[in-house]
Amino acid sequence: MKKEFWNDSVVVITGASSGIGKALLEELVMYPCQLVLLARRAGDIAEPETKHKDCVLHRVTCDLSDPSSVQDAIEWTMKRVDRVDVLFNNAGITAHGRFDSLTMEVYQKTFATNFFGPIQFIRGLLPLVLKAKGNIVTTSTVSALYGVPGRAAYSASKSALHAALESLRIESLLEGIGVSLVCVPYTDTALRTSGLTADGKVLAEAPAKGKRKSAKEVAQVLMEVAKDKEARLVTFNLSGKFLEWMRFFSPKFLEKILYKKLYNDFKTH
Ligand SMILES: NC(=O)c1ccc[n+]([C@@H]2O[C@H](COP(=O)([O-])OP(=O)(O)OC[C@H]3O[C@@H](n4cnc5c(N)ncnc54)[C@H](OP(=O)(O)O)[C@@H]3O)[C@@H](O)[C@H]2O)c1
């Protein structure tokens, strides 16, 4: 019988206290595996009601925007697990505001959380991922595929992450690891109440209009991607594919559409 992929695996989830990361946790606790759960509020992560008896949870309090906290989390993890089969690089924040209204502190905080922290963390745990010939699965966004209006800091931080992880993927071509970037569409989570306004206050915005995925649906896709070392850039739906292709075929047309579709988003910020 084929071994279930997740059985006996060591899985790291950043941003496991809310939204997509929490949904990953709720799916994965059904397997006999070890889960390393990172977040600033890791201490508040409750034991799920239904859980496999041999699933072990390790909670690690970590602020990705603070290099010393990230270093502590790396050392803590390395003392407790001897390999990493899947690293879900999932934690992140959004920042809403026009290019010229976002303060430099907001650009820096967004990059600290979405780029420098994840890079430091992945870099630190890379020996354990290499040892397992594991997978690094990043929860990214279609906003990483093109600079989206009203999201300069968010788009830039996520697309910088794409570039760095693509470099890693090529450099480790012969090492047997997977590095994938999953561009998630609008999903029902706390993202719009946990991010930053242009001047650095906590965002309090209504959910995006139109169709949204549930965190569970997204978690299930991320888990499938984690099984596929050939997965590179994954988009979910037509709007993701549209952005992916139009940036090459007709950026002018794409920019007009983004201007019109997101006008209210950036004119009001
Ligand atoms: N929701 C969407 O529509 C959507 C679309 C595309 C991509 N995404 C991406 O999905 C990922 C997960 O976000 P979500 O939608 O699930 O939002 P969420 O509900 O706000 O969850 C974000 C998670 O990231 C953690 N986090 C934030 N800042 C952190 C920091 N400084 N250090 C450590 N952990 C931190 C949070 O934990 P603590 O607050 O406890 O630290 C939380 O667990 C993000 O990378 C986001 O960019 C979301």
Side-chain angles (χ1 to χ4, degrees):
M1 206 173 80
K2 198 169 162 243
K3 179 179 169 282
E4 162 58 52
F5 180 86
W6 299 104
N7 288 359
D8 305 320
S9 61
V10 179
V11 182
V12 177
I13 308 171
T14 70
S17 61
S18 173
I20 297 166
K22 187 174 176 207
L24 276 168
L25 157 67
E26 286 164 357
E27 295 292 307
L28 286 164
V29 288
M30 300 305 173
Y31 299 94
C33 61
Q34 288 192 69
L35 301 177
V36 181
L37 310 168
L38 272 91
R40 288 167 301 185
R41 292 169 293 163
D44 296 346
I45 299 173
E47 196 86 6
E49 273 174 27
T50 334
K51 169 177 163 299
H52 192 287
K53 67 178 179 36
D54 294 325
C55 178
V56 179
L57 306 187
H58 305 282
R59 297 169 181 82
V60 192
T61 302
C62 172
D63 182 348
L64 282 168
S65 68
D66 172 0
S68 65
S69 173
V70 178
Q71 186 54 34
D72 288 347
I74 294 167
E75 287 169 17
W76 195 97
T77 306
M78 292 192 100
K79 279 192 198 131
R80 278 158 185 90
V81 297
D82 63 355
R83 63 177 204 286
V84 171
D85 296 290
V86 178
L87 195 171
F88 285 108
N89 170 37
N90 166 76
I93 54 164
T94 189
H96 292 191
R98 289 172 64 99
F99 174 87
D100 53 350
S101 63
L102 290 157
T103 63
M104 286 316 293
E105 287 72 26
V106 170
Y107 278 104
Q108 278 153 3
K109 179 84 178 170
T110 310
F111 265 77
T113 308
N114 293 354
F115 179 75
F116 289 111
I119 293 296
Q120 185 189 352
F121 187 64
I122 293 169
R123 199 176 162 276
L125 289 191
L126 195 58
L128 298 191
V129 177
L130 288 166
K131 189 171 172 195
K133 294 192 189 304
N135 280 284
I136 300 166
V137 180
T138 292
T139 312
S140 187
T141 160
V142 287
S143 309
L145 301 175
Y146 210 90
V148 164
R151 302 285 184 275
Y154 181 59
S155 276
S157 65
K158 290 285 188 174
S159 57
L161 195 56
H162 279 214
L165 293 174
E166 282 160 1
S167 301
L168 168 64
R169 186 197 298 136
I170 299 166
E171 289 161 9
S172 49
L173 191 71
L174 303 180
E175 314 281 352
I177 66 167
V179 181
S180 53
L181 302 156
V182 187
C183 296
V184 170
Y186 286 136
T187 306
D188 264 325
T189 68
L191 195 72
R192 282 172 173 243
T193 49
S194 62
L196 301 173
T197 61
D199 58 359
K201 297 197 177 72
V202 179
L203 204 60
E205 283 197 7
K209 289 197 187 93
K211 266 194 179 170
R212 297 189 300 275
K213 297 274 176 204
S214 71
K216 182 177 175 156
E217 280 175 285
V218 174
Q220 287 169 344
V221 172
L222 292 171
M223 285 169 67
E224 282 312 304
V225 172
K227 296 178 186 172
D228 179 8
K229 294 230 170 87
E230 292 302 312
R232 288 177 168 73
L233 185 66
V234 180
T235 44
F236 270 59
N237 54 14
L238 266 180
S239 54
K241 295 263 173 279
F242 179 79
L243 236 145
E244 193 181 344
W245 291 105
M246 287 313 278
R247 66 189 173 149
F248 297 119
F249 293 130
S250 182
K252 188 174 174 185
F253 179 64
L254 176 61
E255 286 177 11
K256 275 191 183 157
I257 301 261
L258 289 173
Y259 182 89
K260 234 176 129 181
K261 197 168 177 324
L262 298 172
Y263 184 84
N264 288 333
D265 256 18
F266 70 90
K267 280 294 174 190
T268 53
H269 287 81

